[in-house]
Amino acid sequence: LDYQHVQVPFEITLWIMLASLAKIGFHLYNKLPSVVPESCLLIFVGLIMGGIIYGLNDRSPPVMDTDIFFLYLLPPIVLDAGYFMPSRPFFENIGTILLYAVVGTLWNVFGIGFSLYGICQVEAFHLRDVSLLHNLLFGSLIAAVDPVAVLAVFEEIHVNEKLHILVFGESLLNDAVTVVLYKLFRSFCEMPTIKSVDVFAGVGNFFVVGLGGVLVGLIFGMTAAFTTRFTKDIRVIEPLFVFLYSYLSYLTAEMFHLSGIVAIIACAMGMKRYVEANISLKSHTTVKYFMKMWSSVSDTLIFIFLGVSTIGENHEWNWPYICFTVIFCLIWRALGVLVLTFFVNRFHVNTITSKDQFIIAYGGLRGAICFSLVFLLPDFRRKKLFIAATTVVIFFTVFVQGMTIRPLVDLLAVKRKRESAPTVGEQIHIRFLDHLLAGIEDISGHWGQYYWKDKLEYFNSKYLQKILLREYDQPKSSIVLLYEKLERKHAIELAEAGQLGHAPSHPSLLRSAFLCSDDDRTVVTDKKLEDALNPDVLENIQEILARNLYRIRRTGPAYSRHTLPGETEPVEHAKEILILRHKSL
Amino acid sequence: LDYQHVQVPFEITLWIMLASLAKIGFHLYNKLPSVVPESCLLIFVGLIMGGIIYGLNDRSPPVMDTDIFFLYLLPPIVLDAGYFMPSRPFFENIGTILLYAVVGTLWNVFGIGFSLYGICQVEAFHLRDVSLLHNLLFGSLIAAVDPVAVLAVFEEIHVNEKLHILVFGESLLNDAVTVVLYKLFRSFCEMPTIKSVDVFAGVGNFFVVGLGGVLVGLIFGMTAAFTTRFTKDIRVIEPLFVFLYSYLSYLTAEMFHLSGIVAIIACAMGMKRYVEANISLKSHTTVKYFMKMWSSVSDTLIFIFLGVSTIGENHEWNWPYICFTVIFCLIWRALGVLVLTFFVNRFHVNTITSKDQFIIAYGGLRGAICFSLVFLLPDFRRKKLFIAATTVVIFFTVFVQGMTIRPLVDLLAVKRKRESAPTVGEQIHIRFLDHLLAGIEDISGHWGQYYWKDKLEYFNSKYLQKILLREYDQPKSSIVLLYEKLERKHAIELAEAGQLGHAPSHPSLLRSAFLCSDDDRTVVTDKKLEDALNPDVLENIQEILARNLYRIRRTGPAYSRHTLPGETEPVEHAKEILILRHKSL
């Protein structure tokens, strides 16, 4: 027996296997996942595993290695998040998200830090040796909302898209703020005196870290898109480039002390549309599938490790400090959301309701990032107290908030995500309004969201597409692309239901589609819309519309990270087709 | 800048990126890959890289780490080979393959070892200090044909399936022999005296290592199949199990000093049919795609590393020893193939022609396995001579034989692989003959290939399928499955060509299909065939046949590891459909 030789890959494989089997186990009992979020169950598995290791070895089980977390487990999750980020709601709410992510996080850090320092001044609590700087350092790591925890919970409760993107976007973008503050306070802790110049340098650092991350990400994203132009003859390695370039963007950003999370998100969002156009359909399926698989496994491993690492002897218990930490985390977040939303609502027509505000405040879950950061702290007397407090905050938010948020969403009747995709009518009107508003903003000289979007789109089609896309000579309207996608999906479902060859050709629907689009055409006066919908494109749309009108009403179901779209009931479709056919006969 | 922190993943990612970009580069110029095999070009890139590293650092570039090769680079390639192994030709020729792999390898090892020892006795060559045991040890590592090198070359020349499987199967299965002999001679080198009992133990070890590998592989393969029964609710992690269990089988076999290559092949071949039936279509695409991608990258990295590791100062040059090694490798292999084939041909009707024999002997390429094994040798005076000789043999086989084998195949007019898949008629007849021969063997009491195949099929459908398949209540005939697959492929192609909804329904073809299958039915008298094609199954086939008859003539093109099936001309199909439709109108 030669275990030494294969130990490293064997143990890694076994951990991943454990994670995958745990996931299967939960889904075998259908009732369990609907009551308890998966993250709680996984932490529980981790606790049991940790207990077993502790019992057998009689020493603390290994804690989750910070390097493993930041270098190997976090990137797949963030890549998945960035690649599947719904870009429209994200960019529509980018201002609000940034406000929450930057100002909100600062508010929380200083709020929690200073008020905990206040608690430390109470003689009875025996905490006089925790300095203000240590409290602020602790605040900087405990304040940040965790994207992994937020994703795990919010994907199961299906709140409306805006609410989801506000919480999730904040959790992703606050990384830049957390990185800067954490490093700033850590270096302050080690400095003998702090000059005001250092503080200003710290503030300037925000922009460097955040915007630098975006820049690094975009550079790698564009390079990835450019590379996939040349993969036509070796389709099998296409998916690799998506992963390699994203990972390189993350590592490069981390190397230069920029925000790796921001970089990988910028990379994924930047490359997506070009890469998708360049690579083959099967490569694309593989990319999507593997991203989901990878992030799903990483996420499982993180929660299991979180449980395992909790067991052991690295905790110092101090009731007042820990209780007040949990309370302050809740209070300051609630206050922050209230104040910031007040300002946001003054400048927006589409306001954030008080119910939504409650869910935003309540959805501020903490997770593995805090946990890794607290272990990264330099050794000092009270490090174990901080570890204990962080663990309690994470467990409180994941278990108590994570498990009660679904009943609360039901109770408050928070607006849910619509289960169906928008219809063609809606999509055409949204697009029409976009062009109209861009025109209005252009004429009135207001440099708003639509103006910039339009300029970006122009830049994209004029320069970027020519460089990054392989087959630029056939630019297709996004609606045409959508229909091609739907049609492919439909064809597969038909074939699986054994109905191919029986699809009706709908002459009546064809005529009505023509009429309908003629009506639309008389409405269209905006020059830009006319450009986008020139006769050829329109004909293309009409042709595809005609063949698909009975399909339009139902597109994909709501997004869930544990299923891939396109695995729905083919039998129903087949039935519908039969009914339609009978009618036409 | 904090390079230390991200060094390991960053450098690994960069190496993979280099390999992928090198692959893209070669395929940009269409002429290059058709003249020079990719393996040669990659070694060349490696040589240049090694030269650069050597020039910059002024010391030898790092050699390929044996652990990295055996634990991380080799398994993906072998998994890919095992999973896509054409099982029918493999099992039909298993006897011949085993003869080549076991007896042939032994013949080569002892032939090369003893004749090199003879060379060492010549005073003028200054080689008197190389003992017989060292020569045999060297023979054991240099004799084995390398699966990676064979795959890289044989996939490009498209010889007929039998020839391909003979060389490739031998290269895979000789691993057990190589492992045993290499370890035996290595331990003999360290022993003071060798008892005859040790020699017998060594011979017994063959069976343990080989059959043990098969057993470990089958256990993990069956577990994998069983696990995928329960993944219905979390489709995204399905592909993971295929990879995890295969890798575990490899690692476990290596841990117990069994043949990892044999284990992973048994695992992949064992699980394939059950896993494919259990997992979703998209999961299956991902599994296939990722396997190809992974093996393709591993293979690229191996050849690049082979080039890089060559540059440096770990060679000792001795003209006679090196030249005679190359000559003996060629001669003993040629003799071995001649003698073994003489015996094989006496017992087979379908003989191996002398052209085929030449290609089998000439296709015995050596590669990275020899290279890794020679670096694993214990340190002794002449290790550098062995390294030099191994490098020369590898380069000679890969460059000279690898580059000339394609012209030779053309010159000798070796029977090529048929480019088209067998038609339905052929498939039905092959199946009919299988059942007939199994019946004949059963009656005549001859326990031949068909008898065992039939027994295995019975065991499979009676016990294994019930345990390992999720939806056992609907067992489908393999022909029905084939048609479902074709239909899906067709549907996607139709949709991509924008022709969905225009597919003709072929009433005339439907009738002819019925007639044709009725004819078939009168022929069918064998009980087993009737069982397999009961009325329900037949109806199913007829229905699908009717809708697909114009598709039958063309299925997938010839197998190539750099492309995935199904990326052929949809335009032509669309045209054909249109023509058929016009006729029916």
Side-chain angles (χ1 to χ4, degrees):
Chain A
L1 193 76
D2 183 10
Y3 184 60
Q4 208 72 40
H5 181 58
V6 297
Q7 190 179 8
V8 177
F10 197 75
E11 286 182 0
I12 293 173
T13 315
L14 278 187
W15 273 112
I16 299 176
M17 185 71 97
L18 172 81
S20 318
L21 290 178
K23 249 191 147 65
I24 289 190
F26 299 145
H27 284 271
L28 277 186
Y29 299 97
N30 286 328
K31 281 177 193 165
L32 211 56
S34 65
V35 180
V36 189
E38 212 182 86
S39 44
C40 301
L41 290 170
L42 291 172
I43 290 183
F44 203 71
V45 169
L47 285 174
I48 293 170
M49 290 281 305
I52 293 171
I53 297 174
Y54 189 58
L56 291 179
N57 290 351
D58 217 15
R59 58 188 177 80
S60 304
V63 294
M64 173 156 58
D65 191 298
T66 312
D67 264 2
I68 289 178
F69 174 73
F70 280 111
L71 291 184
Y72 304 107
L73 295 176
L74 190 58
I77 299 177
V78 182
L79 174 62
D80 177 55
Y83 198 83
F84 291 100
M85 176 91 82
S87 58
R88 198 186 166 88
F90 179 75
F91 284 113
E92 269 175 5
N93 297 300
I94 184 80
T96 316
I97 292 170
L98 278 176
L99 195 72
Y100 284 141
V102 180
V103 184
T105 307
L106 284 174
W107 166 286
N108 278 306
V109 170
F110 287 102
I112 295 170
F114 280 111
S115 44
L116 278 178
Y117 183 62
I119 295 299
C120 290
Q121 301 314 309
V122 178
E123 199 70 61
F125 296 159
H126 307 292
L127 289 161
R128 292 300 292 267
D129 58 329
V130 185
S131 70
L132 175 61
L133 227 90
H134 277 129
N135 272 317
L136 284 173
L137 183 56
F138 180 63
S140 77
L141 68 89
I142 203 75
V145 175
D146 186 81
V148 183
V150 166
L151 258 185
V153 166
F154 271 68
E155 267 175 2
E156 289 180 8
I157 60 177
H158 298 295
V159 292
N160 65 74
E161 224 171 13
K162 188 180 172 187
L163 190 50
H164 183 264
I165 205 74
L166 284 181
V167 181
F168 180 51
E170 180 202 337
S171 72
L172 286 173
L173 298 189
N174 66 20
D175 179 59
V177 181
T178 312
V179 167
V180 171
L181 282 184
Y182 180 78
K183 285 185 179 156
L184 194 71
F185 290 134
R186 234 182 75 164
S187 54
F188 281 178
C189 280
E190 285 154 8
M191 278 185 205
T193 54
I194 299 156
K195 290 176 199 153
S196 57
V197 106
D198 295 324
V199 178
F200 283 111
V203 174
N205 229 349
F206 279 130
F207 298 98
V208 176
V209 169
L211 296 179
V214 172
L215 193 71
V216 168
L218 285 182
I219 290 172
F220 277 98
M222 293 302 116
T223 318
F226 186 70
T227 310
T228 51
R229 266 189 77 162
F230 304 102
T231 52
K232 204 181 163 193
D233 296 320
I234 22 169
R235 291 288 192 192
V236 276
I237 59 168
E238 279 175 347
L240 205 62
F241 287 108
V242 174
F243 298 111
L244 287 179
Y245 280 109
S246 320
Y247 192 45
L248 275 184
S249 77
Y250 182 84
L251 291 177
T252 311
E254 287 284 308
M255 197 159 73
F256 291 106
H257 297 288
L258 305 173
S259 166
I261 293 183
V262 171
I264 205 168
I265 286 173
C267 179
M269 291 180 83
M271 78 165 97
K272 192 182 181 195
R273 63 191 291 178
Y274 306 108
V275 166
E276 279 184 8
N278 280 336
I279 68 179
S280 80
L281 183 68
K282 280 190 180 174
S283 299
H284 191 211
T285 306
T286 307
V287 167
K288 287 194 295 186
Y289 222 92
F290 222 78
M291 241 175 226
K292 290 259 164 256
M293 192 174 98
W294 223 325
S295 76
S296 169
V297 169
S298 278
D299 165 291
T300 312
L301 280 176
I302 288 174
F303 285 113
I304 289 182
F305 279 144
L306 211 57
V308 171
S309 310
T310 305
I311 306 285
E313 283 150 7
N314 38 24
H315 299 284
E316 181 197 335
W317 203 261
N318 179 307
W319 275 105
Y321 195 82
I322 287 169
C323 291
F324 276 109
T325 306
V326 174
I327 294 167
F328 287 142
C329 279
L330 288 174
I331 291 178
W332 283 104
R333 178 155 180 90
L335 279 178
V337 170
L338 273 179
V339 173
L340 290 177
T341 316
F342 175 74
F343 286 108
V344 168
N345 279 348
R346 285 193 60 173
F347 295 102
H348 282 79
V349 183
N350 193 357
T351 58
I352 300 167
T353 65
S354 51
K355 279 178 196 170
D356 284 356
Q357 288 175 41
F358 176 77
I359 296 295
I360 292 172
Y362 202 74
L365 307 180
R366 268 68 161 188
I369 291 185
C370 310
F371 197 79
S372 300
L373 287 179
V374 81
F375 274 98
L376 261 190
L377 282 180
D379 276 322
F380 71 102
R381 255 200 75 223
R382 293 293 194 149
K383 187 175 170 181
K384 286 190 173 179
L385 173 63
F386 284 2
I387 292 177
T390 309
T391 309
V392 170
V393 170
I394 293 171
F395 275 51
F396 181 83
T397 55
V398 171
F399 277 89
V400 179
Q401 293 178 213
M403 283 169 74
T404 52
I405 198 164
R406 193 201 297 253
L408 280 172
V409 165
D410 290 339
L411 195 75
L412 293 173
V414 173
K415 206 176 146 204
R416 295 301 185 94
K417 192 177 184 173
R418 52 188 291 177
E419 289 295 312
S420 58
T423 63
V424 190
E426 281 177 289
Q427 288 201 344
I428 287 178
H429 280 93
I430 288 169
R431 201 160 150 190
F432 169 65
L433 284 173
D434 281 359
H435 284 291
L436 198 67
L437 284 167
I440 292 172
E441 285 190 353
D442 208 0
I443 291 165
S444 66
H446 172 71
W447 289 2
Q449 173 191 338
Y450 295 98
Y451 172 83
W452 283 115
K453 194 179 167 190
D454 190 65
K455 282 280 166 291
L456 210 67
E457 209 46 66
Y458 178 76
F459 177 71
N460 172 45
S461 64
K462 182 108 181 181
Y463 305 104
L464 282 182
Q465 287 195 340
K466 281 182 194 163
I467 303 168
L468 301 178
L469 292 189
R470 184 184 303 137
E471 286 157 352
Y472 179 64
D473 41 0
Q474 303 147 344
K476 277 179 181 169
S477 158
S478 63
I479 295 184
V480 175
L481 287 176
L482 174 72
Y483 273 101
E484 285 183 359
K485 199 173 135 195
L486 281 175
E487 204 174 38
R488 258 194 311 259
K489 206 171 120 192
H490 169 213
I492 296 167
E493 284 166 0
L494 267 186
E496 282 181 345
Q499 291 290 340
L500 192 68
H502 298 302
S505 61
H506 292 292
S508 60
L509 289 177
L510 185 71
R511 207 170 51 246
S512 71
F514 263 104
L515 286 175
C516 155
S517 48
D518 277 342
D519 285 350
D520 266 353
R521 232 168 169 180
T522 56
V523 174
V524 174
T525 46
D526 188 83
K527 191 187 141 292
K528 279 161 194 157
L529 185 52
E530 248 180 345
D531 271 357
L533 294 177
N534 64 40
D536 283 345
V537 177
L538 258 181
E539 219 169 278
N540 215 337
I541 296 174
Q542 283 157 0
E543 200 189 305
I544 299 166
L545 263 177
R547 270 182 277 118
N548 286 282
L549 263 185
Y550 65 93
R551 275 284 297 157
I552 300 164
R553 278 164 288 130
R554 48 175 74 196
T555 44
Y559 170 78
S560 156
R561 76 196 302 217
H562 300 298
T563 57
L564 276 162
E567 295 182 342
T568 40
E569 51 321 288
V571 182
E572 269 193 33
H573 295 304
K575 261 188 211 159
E576 195 183 9
I577 295 162
L578 278 178
I579 293 167
L580 275 168
R581 208 191 168 202
H582 276 294
K583 276 186 196 162
S584 74
L585 286 175
Chain B
L1 192 76
D2 183 10
Y3 183 60
Q4 208 73 41
H5 181 57
V6 297
Q7 191 179 7
V8 178
F10 197 75
E11 286 182 359
I12 293 172
T13 316
L14 279 187
W15 273 112
I16 299 175
M17 185 71 98
L18 172 80
S20 318
L21 291 178
K23 248 191 149 64
I24 290 190
F26 298 146
H27 284 269
L28 277 186
Y29 299 96
N30 286 328
K31 281 177 194 164
L32 212 53
S34 66
V35 180
V36 189
E38 212 182 85
S39 44
C40 301
L41 290 170
L42 291 171
I43 290 183
F44 203 71
V45 169
L47 286 173
I48 293 170
M49 291 280 307
I52 294 171
I53 297 173
Y54 189 58
L56 291 178
N57 291 350
D58 217 12
R59 57 188 176 82
S60 303
V63 294
M64 173 156 57
D65 190 298
T66 311
D67 265 2
I68 290 180
F69 174 72
F70 280 110
L71 292 183
Y72 304 106
L73 294 177
L74 189 58
I77 298 176
V78 183
L79 174 63
D80 177 54
Y83 197 83
F84 291 99
M85 176 91 81
S87 58
R88 197 185 166 89
F90 179 74
F91 285 113
E92 269 175 4
N93 298 298
I94 185 81
T96 316
I97 292 171
L98 278 177
L99 195 71
Y100 284 142
V102 179
V103 184
T105 308
L106 284 173
W107 166 287
N108 277 305
V109 170
F110 287 102
I112 295 171
F114 280 111
S115 45
L116 277 178
Y117 182 63
I119 296 299
C120 291
Q121 300 317 307
V122 178
E123 199 68 64
F125 296 160
H126 308 292
L127 288 162
R128 291 300 290 267
D129 58 329
V130 186
S131 69
L132 175 63
L133 239 121
H134 276 129
N135 272 319
L136 284 173
L137 181 57
F138 180 64
S140 78
L141 67 89
I142 204 75
V145 176
D146 186 80
V148 182
V150 166
L151 257 186
V153 166
F154 270 69
E155 266 174 2
E156 290 180 10
I157 59 176
H158 298 294
V159 292
N160 66 74
E161 225 170 14
K162 188 178 171 188
L163 190 50
H164 182 265
I165 205 75
L166 284 181
V167 182
F168 181 50
E170 178 202 339
S171 72
L172 286 173
L173 298 189
N174 66 19
D175 180 57
V177 181
T178 312
V179 166
V180 172
L181 282 184
Y182 180 77
K183 285 186 180 156
L184 195 71
F185 290 133
R186 234 182 74 165
S187 54
F188 282 177
C189 280
E190 284 153 9
M191 277 184 207
T193 55
I194 299 156
K195 291 173 198 152
S196 59
V197 109
D198 294 326
V199 178
F200 283 111
V203 174
N205 227 349
F206 279 131
F207 297 97
V208 175
V209 168
L211 296 179
V214 172
L215 192 73
V216 167
L218 285 181
I219 290 172
F220 277 98
M222 294 301 117
T223 319
F226 186 70
T227 310
T228 51
R229 266 189 75 161
F230 304 103
T231 51
K232 204 182 162 192
D233 296 320
I234 22 168
R235 291 288 192 191
V236 276
I237 59 169
E238 280 176 345
L240 206 60
F241 287 108
V242 175
F243 299 110
L244 287 179
Y245 279 109
S246 320
Y247 194 43
L248 275 183
S249 77
Y250 182 83
L251 292 178
T252 311
E254 288 285 309
M255 197 159 74
F256 291 107
H257 296 289
L258 305 173
S259 165
I261 292 183
V262 171
I264 205 168
I265 286 173
C267 177
M269 290 181 84
M271 77 165 102
K272 192 182 179 193
R273 62 191 292 178
Y274 306 109
V275 166
E276 278 184 9
N278 281 334
I279 67 179
S280 80
L281 183 70
K282 280 189 180 175
S283 299
H284 191 210
T285 305
T286 308
V287 167
K288 286 193 297 183
Y289 223 93
F290 223 78
M291 239 173 228
K292 288 256 163 259
M293 191 174 99
W294 224 326
S295 76
S296 168
V297 168
S298 278
D299 166 290
T300 312
L301 280 175
I302 287 174
F303 285 114
I304 288 182
F305 279 145
L306 211 56
V308 171
S309 309
T310 306
I311 305 287
E313 283 148 6
N314 37 25
H315 298 285
E316 181 198 334
W317 203 260
N318 180 308
W319 274 105
Y321 195 82
I322 288 170
C323 290
F324 276 107
T325 307
V326 173
I327 293 166
F328 287 142
C329 280
L330 289 173
I331 291 177
W332 283 104
R333 180 157 179 88
L335 278 178
V337 170
L338 273 178
V339 173
L340 291 177
T341 315
F342 175 74
F343 286 107
V344 168
N345 278 348
R346 286 193 60 173
F347 295 102
H348 282 79
V349 183
N350 193 359
T351 57
I352 300 168
T353 64
S354 51
K355 279 179 196 171
D356 285 356
Q357 288 175 42
F358 176 76
I359 296 294
I360 292 172
Y362 203 74
L365 307 180
R366 268 67 160 187
I369 290 185
C370 309
F371 197 78
S372 300
L373 287 179
V374 81
F375 275 99
L376 261 189
L377 283 180
D379 276 322
F380 71 104
R381 256 198 76 220
R382 292 293 193 148
K383 187 175 170 182
K384 286 189 173 179
L385 173 63
F386 284 1
I387 293 178
T390 310
T391 309
V392 170
V393 170
I394 294 171
F395 276 52
F396 182 83
T397 56
V398 171
F399 278 88
V400 179
Q401 293 178 216
M403 283 169 75
T404 52
I405 198 165
R406 194 202 297 253
L408 280 173
V409 165
D410 290 339
L411 196 73
L412 293 173
V414 173
K415 207 177 146 204
R416 294 301 183 93
K417 192 177 185 174
R418 52 188 290 177
E419 290 294 312
S420 58
T423 64
V424 191
E426 281 176 290
Q427 289 201 344
I428 288 178
H429 279 92
I430 288 170
R431 204 162 146 186
F432 170 66
L433 284 173
D434 281 358
H435 284 290
L436 197 68
L437 284 167
I440 292 171
E441 286 189 353
D442 209 359
I443 291 165
S444 66
H446 173 71
W447 290 1
Q449 173 191 337
Y450 295 98
Y451 172 83
W452 283 115
K453 195 179 168 187
D454 189 63
K455 282 281 165 288
L456 209 68
E457 210 46 67
Y458 178 76
F459 177 71
N460 172 45
S461 64
K462 182 109 183 180
Y463 304 104
L464 282 182
Q465 286 195 341
K466 282 182 193 162
I467 303 169
L468 301 177
L469 292 189
R470 184 185 302 137
E471 287 157 352
Y472 180 64
D473 41 0
Q474 302 146 343
K476 278 179 182 167
S477 157
S478 64
I479 295 184
V480 175
L481 287 175
L482 174 72
Y483 273 102
E484 284 182 2
K485 200 174 135 194
L486 280 176
E487 204 175 39
R488 260 193 311 260
K489 206 172 122 192
H490 169 213
I492 296 167
E493 283 167 359
L494 267 187
E496 283 182 345
Q499 291 290 341
L500 192 68
H502 299 302
S505 59
H506 291 291
S508 60
L509 290 178
L510 185 70
R511 208 172 48 245
S512 71
F514 264 102
L515 285 175
C516 155
S517 45
D518 277 341
D519 285 351
D520 267 351
R521 233 169 168 179
T522 56
V523 172
V524 174
T525 46
D526 188 81
K527 194 190 139 289
K528 279 160 193 158
L529 185 53
E530 245 180 347
D531 270 358
L533 294 178
N534 65 39
D536 283 345
V537 177
L538 258 184
E539 218 170 278
N540 215 336
I541 294 175
Q542 283 157 0
E543 200 189 305
I544 300 167
L545 263 177
R547 271 182 275 117
N548 285 281
L549 262 187
Y550 63 94
R551 275 285 297 159
I552 300 164
R553 277 163 290 129
R554 51 176 71 197
T555 44
Y559 170 78
S560 157
R561 77 195 302 215
H562 300 299
T563 57
L564 276 162
E567 296 183 340
T568 40
E569 52 319 289
V571 182
E572 268 194 33
H573 295 305
K575 262 188 209 159
E576 194 183 8
I577 296 161
L578 278 177
I579 293 166
L580 276 167
R581 209 193 168 201
H582 276 292
K583 276 185 193 163
S584 72
L585 286 177

